[in-house]
């Protein structure tokens, strides 16, 4: 669990409570050692108590606002959970903070 990442997500100035919750859940999944954050949409939607399309809209909004960068992950031509990189709009990457 990325406690340091969650504290930064709490301070993030996002547009609404749904975006804040998604950002917090992504931060919760950031590994302090590997800096990886790759929960599935299904898991995030369950944790945030929202539908998949609502979750995807919030993720897209966070990408547009500069808080999240998404990398699609494929292995053996099968899509795996996306990899998420949490960022500040100023360009400072949350995942580069020292534990």
């Amino acid at each position: 669990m990325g406690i340091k990442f969650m504290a930064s997500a709490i301070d993030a100035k996002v547009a609404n409570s749904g975006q804040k919750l998604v950002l917090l859940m992504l931060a919760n999944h950031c590994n302090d050692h590997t800096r990886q954050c790759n929960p599935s949409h299904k898991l995030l939607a369950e944790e945030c108590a929202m539908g998949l399309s609502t979750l995807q809209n919030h993720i897209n909004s966070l990408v547009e606002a500069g808080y999240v960068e998404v990398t699609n992950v494929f292995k053996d031509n099968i899509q795996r959970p996306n990899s998420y990189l949490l960022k500040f709009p100023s360009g400072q990457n949350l995942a580069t903070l020292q534990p």
Side-chain angles (χ1 to χ4, degrees), residues 29-47:
H29 286 282
C30 274
N31 184 295
D32 286 336
H33 301 290
T34 66
R35 309 297 198 246
Q36 290 182 348
C37 177
N38 56 356
S40 69
H41 279 180
K42 181 181 176 187
L43 176 61
L44 282 174
E46 288 173 5
E47 290 177 343

Side-chain angles (χ1 to χ4, degrees), residues 10-66:
I10 289 169
D11 292 337
K13 305 297 183 214
V14 295
N16 58 55
S17 59
Q19 289 178 18
K20 179 74 77 169
L21 181 58
V22 171
L23 190 58
L24 281 165
M25 290 300 104
L26 286 170
N28 185 50
H29 286 282
C30 274
N31 184 295
D32 286 336
H33 301 290
T34 66
R35 309 297 198 246
Q36 290 182 348
C37 177
N38 56 356
S40 69
H41 279 180
K42 181 181 176 187
L43 176 61
L44 282 174
E46 288 173 5
E47 290 177 343
C48 295
M50 61 181 63
L52 286 172
S53 61
T54 302
L55 172 77
Q56 291 167 342
N57 288 336
H58 287 313
I59 290 172
N60 290 337
S61 295
L62 290 168
V63 168
E64 289 175 15

